[in-house]
Amino acid sequence: MRFSDMSYERPDIESVKQKMSEISEKLRSATDYQAASEAFLDMESMSRHIDTLANLAYIRHSIDTRDEFYDKEIGFWNQVSPELAEYTQIFQKNLYGSSFRSEFEKEYGSIVFKNIELDLRSFSPDLIPLMQEENELVDEYRKLLASAQIPFEDGVYTLSQLTPYKNDPDDERRLSAWKAEGIWYKENQADLDRIYDRLVHIRDEMGRKLGHDGYTE
């Protein structure tokens, strides 16, 4: 199947949350490894489906950030992805504490649980509003870069289109291309600085909400 033929439809997010809750409960209450494994595979299947839809939206949005349909879909995913992370964490906690952990490690390897341990240490429901704002700012940054129209020689170029000229064998042409790009960044400095500054503060607050001295830890 070609990428262009892959269908996209916004999921009913409340139904997704309900299904994730049911799978988490199925895992928690499993009385044997077979039932626990079925819950694990059910969540894997659902996660792949949701990730596919989200990635379809993100890629098609990146192809043309002016597309109003996918612009709205990215707004949707920016809000719901952090919300779904809370339901994923509940499932991960049940899996991490499962009495069938040794069987899971035998079949899928111990790295699964190491990754869960890291995920559990880096997420809390308290972060959801910050993650949503972070997503919106990152999207704003991408749109800003994608909107660049840089006059150079006899044409107008995007940042990507200008790249070959920045690597031109001719010293003067290469310097001119870098200067043209620099002018665009200077003209958009206020927005770039605002986005960067807010992201630094958001991520610092994330770290502190998790009990650290900042984001790096």
Side-chain angles (χ1 to χ4, degrees):
M1 176 183 291
R2 295 182 302 176
F3 178 75
S4 58
D5 295 329
M6 297 180 72
S7 61
Y8 172 83
E9 182 179 2
R10 179 188 291 191
D12 181 339
I13 206 63
E14 295 306 318
S15 294
V16 171
K17 291 177 180 178
Q18 177 63 32
K19 182 63 176 177
M20 292 178 76
S21 295
E22 291 172 358
I23 294 173
S24 293
E25 177 57 26
K26 179 180 179 180
L27 174 64
R28 190 195 65 79
S29 60
T31 56
D32 54 50
Y33 177 64
Q34 181 177 348
S37 181
E38 288 176 357
F40 176 80
L41 294 176
D42 285 347
M43 185 61 79
E44 284 292 297
S45 177
M46 169 160 281
S47 296
R48 285 198 302 270
H49 176 64
I50 295 301
D51 288 347
T52 296
L53 293 177
N55 284 315
L56 279 172
Y58 278 110
I59 293 171
R60 288 173 179 167
H61 176 63
S62 67
I63 292 172
D64 183 0
T65 57
R66 299 165 299 178
D67 187 308
E68 293 185 3
F69 174 80
Y70 283 108
D71 186 53
K72 290 180 180 178
E73 293 309 293
I74 291 305
F76 166 77
W77 287 108
N78 285 344
Q79 295 298 308
V80 303
S81 294
E83 294 176 6
L84 292 180
E86 180 177 4
Y87 290 80
T88 298
Q89 187 182 63
I90 294 171
F91 177 82
Q92 288 179 325
K93 286 181 177 179
N94 288 338
L95 181 60
Y96 194 78
S98 173
S99 57
F100 307 106
R101 177 167 173 168
S102 60
E103 288 95 328
F104 276 114
E105 289 186 340
K106 183 177 180 180
E107 184 167 1
Y108 299 106
S110 60
I111 191 65
V112 172
F113 291 92
K114 184 61 178 178
N115 288 335
I116 289 175
E117 181 181 339
L118 295 172
D119 286 343
L120 293 178
R121 289 170 53 193
S122 60
F123 176 80
S124 163
D126 292 340
L127 300 187
I128 290 176
L130 293 172
M131 293 171 68
Q132 291 170 329
E133 185 178 357
E134 178 188 34
N135 287 342
E136 292 294 341
L137 286 166
V138 170
D139 188 41
E140 183 183 355
Y141 172 76
R142 289 173 178 156
K143 286 180 183 177
L144 180 59
L145 295 190
S147 71
Q149 295 290 294
I150 303 171
F152 177 69
E153 295 184 342
D154 296 326
V156 178
Y157 300 86
T158 65
L159 289 168
S160 296
Q161 291 170 337
L162 196 63
T163 298
Y165 299 104
K166 290 159 55 183
N167 295 299
D168 195 276
D170 182 84
D171 289 351
E172 290 299 323
R173 196 180 199 201
R174 189 168 65 247
L175 178 60
S176 295
W178 278 99
K179 285 183 175 179
E181 182 184 78
I183 290 171
W184 182 86
Y185 275 106
K186 187 65 177 178
E187 290 173 346
N188 291 274
Q189 179 177 344
D191 283 332
L192 290 166
D193 285 352
R194 172 182 54 79
I195 293 170
Y196 181 83
D197 180 74
R198 183 56 189 149
L199 282 172
V200 169
H201 283 86
I202 284 174
R203 288 165 179 168
D204 181 69
E205 187 176 352
M206 285 179 174
R208 295 183 187 281
K209 281 185 176 290
L210 291 172
H212 304 299
D213 290 332
Y215 185 76
T216 306
E217 292 182 29

mmCIF file with all atom_site columns, all heavy atoms in Angstrom, residues 30-42:
data_model
loop_
_atom_site.group_PDB
_atom_site.id
_atom_site.type_symbol
_atom_site.label_atom_id
_atom_site.label_alt_id
_atom_site.label_comp_id
_atom_site.label_asym_id
_atom_site.label_entity_id
_atom_site.label_seq_id
_atom_site.pdbx_PDB_ins_code
_atom_site.Cartn_x
_atom_site.Cartn_y
_atom_site.Cartn_z
_atom_site.occupancy
_atom_site.B_iso_or_equiv
_atom_site.pdbx_formal_charge
_atom_site.auth_seq_id
_atom_site.auth_comp_id
_atom_site.auth_asym_id
_atom_site.auth_atom_id
_atom_site.pdbx_PDB_model_num
ATOM 1  N N   . ALA A 1 30 ? -5.877 -10.658 35.424 1.00 0.00 ? 30 ALA A N   1
ATOM 2  C CA  . ALA A 1 30 ? -5.545 -11.926 34.766 1.00 0.00 ? 30 ALA A CA  1
ATOM 3  C C   . ALA A 1 30 ? -5.128 -12.973 35.798 1.00 0.00 ? 30 ALA A C   1
ATOM 4  O O   . ALA A 1 30 ? -4.343 -12.699 36.705 1.00 0.00 ? 30 ALA A O   1
ATOM 5  C CB  . ALA A 1 30 ? -4.421 -11.711 33.757 1.00 0.00 ? 30 ALA A CB  1
ATOM 6  N N   . THR A 1 31 ? -5.659 -14.175 35.625 1.00 0.00 ? 31 THR A N   1
ATOM 7  C CA  . THR A 1 31 ? -5.345 -15.261 36.574 1.00 0.00 ? 31 THR A CA  1
ATOM 8  C C   . THR A 1 31 ? -4.302 -16.225 36.018 1.00 0.00 ? 31 THR A C   1
ATOM 9  O O   . THR A 1 31 ? -3.862 -17.134 36.725 1.00 0.00 ? 31 THR A O   1
ATOM 10 C CB  . THR A 1 31 ? -6.621 -16.051 36.922 1.00 0.00 ? 31 THR A CB  1
ATOM 11 O OG1 . THR A 1 31 ? -7.215 -16.541 35.707 1.00 0.00 ? 31 THR A OG1 1
ATOM 12 C CG2 . THR A 1 31 ? -7.615 -15.154 37.653 1.00 0.00 ? 31 THR A CG2 1
ATOM 13 N N   . ASP A 1 32 ? -3.937 -16.042 34.750 1.00 0.00 ? 32 ASP A N   1
ATOM 14 C CA  . ASP A 1 32 ? -2.878 -16.869 34.176 1.00 0.00 ? 32 ASP A CA  1
ATOM 15 C C   . ASP A 1 32 ? -2.144 -16.054 33.111 1.00 0.00 ? 32 ASP A C   1
ATOM 16 O O   . ASP A 1 32 ? -2.601 -14.989 32.687 1.00 0.00 ? 32 ASP A O   1
ATOM 17 C CB  . ASP A 1 32 ? -3.421 -18.171 33.567 1.00 0.00 ? 32 ASP A CB  1
ATOM 18 C CG  . ASP A 1 32 ? -4.532 -17.940 32.561 1.00 0.00 ? 32 ASP A CG  1
ATOM 19 O OD1 . ASP A 1 32 ? -4.346 -17.097 31.649 1.00 0.00 ? 32 ASP A OD1 1
ATOM 20 O OD2 . ASP A 1 32 ? -5.589 -18.583 32.674 1.00 0.00 ? 32 ASP A OD2 1
ATOM 21 N N   . TYR A 1 33 ? -0.989 -16.572 32.686 1.00 0.00 ? 33 TYR A N   1
ATOM 22 C CA  . TYR A 1 33 ? -0.156 -15.816 31.753 1.00 0.00 ? 33 TYR A CA  1
ATOM 23 C C   . TYR A 1 33 ? -0.835 -15.636 30.398 1.00 0.00 ? 33 TYR A C   1
ATOM 24 O O   . TYR A 1 33 ? -0.682 -14.601 29.755 1.00 0.00 ? 33 TYR A O   1
ATOM 25 C CB  . TYR A 1 33 ? 1.201  -16.498 31.558 1.00 0.00 ? 33 TYR A CB  1
ATOM 26 C CG  . TYR A 1 33 ? 2.057  -15.784 30.543 1.00 0.00 ? 33 TYR A CG  1
ATOM 27 C CD1 . TYR A 1 33 ? 2.507  -14.481 30.763 1.00 0.00 ? 33 TYR A CD1 1
ATOM 28 C CD2 . TYR A 1 33 ? 2.405  -16.391 29.341 1.00 0.00 ? 33 TYR A CD2 1
ATOM 29 C CE1 . TYR A 1 33 ? 3.273  -13.804 29.829 1.00 0.00 ? 33 TYR A CE1 1
ATOM 30 C CE2 . TYR A 1 33 ? 3.170  -15.734 28.391 1.00 0.00 ? 33 TYR A CE2 1
ATOM 31 C CZ  . TYR A 1 33 ? 3.603  -14.438 28.650 1.00 0.00 ? 33 TYR A CZ  1
ATOM 32 O OH  . TYR A 1 33 ? 4.359  -13.766 27.704 1.00 0.00 ? 33 TYR A OH  1
ATOM 33 N N   . GLN A 1 34 ? -1.605 -16.627 29.966 1.00 0.00 ? 34 GLN A N   1
ATOM 34 C CA  . GLN A 1 34 ? -2.264 -16.517 28.667 1.00 0.00 ? 34 GLN A CA  1
ATOM 35 C C   . GLN A 1 34 ? -3.184 -15.296 28.627 1.00 0.00 ? 34 GLN A C   1
ATOM 36 O O   . GLN A 1 34 ? -3.172 -14.524 27.658 1.00 0.00 ? 34 GLN A O   1
ATOM 37 C CB  . GLN A 1 34 ? -3.070 -17.775 28.354 1.00 0.00 ? 34 GLN A CB  1
ATOM 38 C CG  . GLN A 1 34 ? -3.763 -17.718 26.988 1.00 0.00 ? 34 GLN A CG  1
ATOM 39 C CD  . GLN A 1 34 ? -4.508 -18.998 26.655 1.00 0.00 ? 34 GLN A CD  1
ATOM 40 O OE1 . GLN A 1 34 ? -4.344 -20.013 27.325 1.00 0.00 ? 34 GLN A OE1 1
ATOM 41 N NE2 . GLN A 1 34 ? -5.322 -18.941 25.610 1.00 0.00 ? 34 GLN A NE2 1
ATOM 42 N N   . ALA A 1 35 ? -3.975 -15.097 29.675 1.00 0.00 ? 35 ALA A N   1
ATOM 43 C CA  . ALA A 1 35 ? -4.879 -13.944 29.734 1.00 0.00 ? 35 ALA A CA  1
ATOM 44 C C   . ALA A 1 35 ? -4.083 -12.647 29.811 1.00 0.00 ? 35 ALA A C   1
ATOM 45 O O   . ALA A 1 35 ? -4.444 -11.644 29.181 1.00 0.00 ? 35 ALA A O   1
ATOM 46 C CB  . ALA A 1 35 ? -5.806 -14.065 30.933 1.00 0.00 ? 35 ALA A CB  1
ATOM 47 N N   . ALA A 1 36 ? -3.004 -12.653 30.580 1.00 0.00 ? 36 ALA A N   1
ATOM 48 C CA  . ALA A 1 36 ? -2.176 -11.454 30.701 1.00 0.00 ? 36 ALA A CA  1
ATOM 49 C C   . ALA A 1 36 ? -1.515 -11.118 29.377 1.00 0.00 ? 36 ALA A C   1
ATOM 50 O O   . ALA A 1 36 ? -1.451 -9.947  28.973 1.00 0.00 ? 36 ALA A O   1
ATOM 51 C CB  . ALA A 1 36 ? -1.109 -11.670 31.779 1.00 0.00 ? 36 ALA A CB  1
ATOM 52 N N   . SER A 1 37 ? -1.049 -12.148 28.671 1.00 0.00 ? 37 SER A N   1
ATOM 53 C CA  . SER A 1 37 ? -0.409 -11.943 27.370 1.00 0.00 ? 37 SER A CA  1
ATOM 54 C C   . SER A 1 37 ? -1.407 -11.408 26.345 1.00 0.00 ? 37 SER A C   1
ATOM 55 O O   . SER A 1 37 ? -1.074 -10.556 25.517 1.00 0.00 ? 37 SER A O   1
ATOM 56 C CB  . SER A 1 37 ? 0.202  -13.253 26.876 1.00 0.00 ? 37 SER A CB  1
ATOM 57 O OG  . SER A 1 37 ? 0.845  -13.066 25.628 1.00 0.00 ? 37 SER A OG  1
ATOM 58 N N   . GLU A 1 38 ? -2.630 -11.904 26.396 1.00 0.00 ? 38 GLU A N   1
ATOM 59 C CA  . GLU A 1 38 ? -3.666 -11.411 25.478 1.00 0.00 ? 38 GLU A CA  1
ATOM 60 C C   . GLU A 1 38 ? -3.925 -9.923  25.705 1.00 0.00 ? 38 GLU A C   1
ATOM 61 O O   . GLU A 1 38 ? -4.096 -9.156  24.751 1.00 0.00 ? 38 GLU A O   1
ATOM 62 C CB  . GLU A 1 38 ? -4.953 -12.206 25.669 1.00 0.00 ? 38 GLU A CB  1
ATOM 63 C CG  . GLU A 1 38 ? -4.888 -13.621 25.130 1.00 0.00 ? 38 GLU A CG  1
ATOM 64 C CD  . GLU A 1 38 ? -6.150 -14.414 25.431 1.00 0.00 ? 38 GLU A CD  1
ATOM 65 O OE1 . GLU A 1 38 ? -7.048 -13.857 26.117 1.00 0.00 ? 38 GLU A OE1 1
ATOM 66 O OE2 . GLU A 1 38 ? -6.242 -15.583 24.997 1.00 0.00 ? 38 GLU A OE2 1
ATOM 67 N N   . ALA A 1 39 ? -3.956 -9.503  26.975 1.00 0.00 ? 39 ALA A N   1
ATOM 68 C CA  . ALA A 1 39 ? -4.144 -8.085  27.286 1.00 0.00 ? 39 ALA A CA  1
ATOM 69 C C   . ALA A 1 39 ? -2.974 -7.266  26.752 1.00 0.00 ? 39 ALA A C   1
ATOM 70 O O   . ALA A 1 39 ? -3.166 -6.175  26.195 1.00 0.00 ? 39 ALA A O   1
ATOM 71 C CB  . ALA A 1 39 ? -4.287 -7.899  28.794 1.00 0.00 ? 39 ALA A CB  1
ATOM 72 N N   . PHE A 1 40 ? -1.776 -7.787  26.924 1.00 0.00 ? 40 PHE A N   1
ATOM 73 C CA  . PHE A 1 40 ? -0.575 -7.107  26.425 1.00 0.00 ? 40 PHE A CA  1
ATOM 74 C C   . PHE A 1 40 ? -0.650 -6.915  24.917 1.00 0.00 ? 40 PHE A C   1
ATOM 75 O O   . PHE A 1 40 ? -0.390 -5.816  24.405 1.00 0.00 ? 40 PHE A O   1
ATOM 76 C CB  . PHE A 1 40 ? 0.653  -7.940  26.797 1.00 0.00 ? 40 PHE A CB  1
ATOM 77 C CG  . PHE A 1 40 ? 1.948  -7.390  26.260 1.00 0.00 ? 40 PHE A CG  1
ATOM 78 C CD1 . PHE A 1 40 ? 2.600  -6.346  26.896 1.00 0.00 ? 40 PHE A CD1 1
ATOM 79 C CD2 . PHE A 1 40 ? 2.510  -7.940  25.120 1.00 0.00 ? 40 PHE A CD2 1
ATOM 80 C CE1 . PHE A 1 40 ? 3.795  -5.846  26.396 1.00 0.00 ? 40 PHE A CE1 1
ATOM 81 C CE2 . PHE A 1 40 ? 3.700  -7.445  24.610 1.00 0.00 ? 40 PHE A CE2 1
ATOM 82 C CZ  . PHE A 1 40 ? 4.346  -6.397  25.251 1.00 0.00 ? 40 PHE A CZ  1
ATOM 83 N N   . LEU A 1 41 ? -1.026 -7.949  24.198 1.00 0.00 ? 41 LEU A N   1
ATOM 84 C CA  . LEU A 1 41 ? -1.106 -7.869  22.739 1.00 0.00 ? 41 LEU A CA  1
ATOM 85 C C   . LEU A 1 41 ? -2.255 -6.976  22.291 1.00 0.00 ? 41 LEU A C   1
ATOM 86 O O   . LEU A 1 41 ? -2.161 -6.293  21.263 1.00 0.00 ? 41 LEU A O   1
ATOM 87 C CB  . LEU A 1 41 ? -1.255 -9.272  22.147 1.00 0.00 ? 41 LEU A CB  1
ATOM 88 C CG  . LEU A 1 41 ? -0.038 -10.194 22.342 1.00 0.00 ? 41 LEU A CG  1
ATOM 89 C CD1 . LEU A 1 41 ? -0.339 -11.581 21.802 1.00 0.00 ? 41 LEU A CD1 1
ATOM 90 C CD2 . LEU A 1 41 ? 1.188  -9.601  21.645 1.00 0.00 ? 41 LEU A CD2 1
ATOM 91 N N   . ASP A 1 42 ? -3.346 -6.973  23.070 1.00 0.00 ? 42 ASP A N   1
ATOM 92 C CA  . ASP A 1 42 ? -4.461 -6.070  22.763 1.00 0.00 ? 42 ASP A CA  1
ATOM 93 C C   . ASP A 1 42 ? -4.012 -4.611  22.842 1.00 0.00 ? 42 ASP A C   1
ATOM 94 O O   . ASP A 1 42 ? -4.361 -3.795  21.981 1.00 0.00 ? 42 ASP A O   1
ATOM 95 C CB  . ASP A 1 42 ? -5.618 -6.297  23.746 1.00 0.00 ? 42 ASP A CB  1
ATOM 96 C CG  . ASP A 1 42 ? -6.396 -7.565  23.454 1.00 0.00 ? 42 ASP A CG  1
ATOM 97 O OD1 . ASP A 1 42 ? -6.212 -8.140  22.366 1.00 0.00 ? 42 ASP A OD1 1
ATOM 98 O OD2 . ASP A 1 42 ? -7.175 -7.985  24.335 1.00 0.00 ? 42 ASP A OD2 1
#
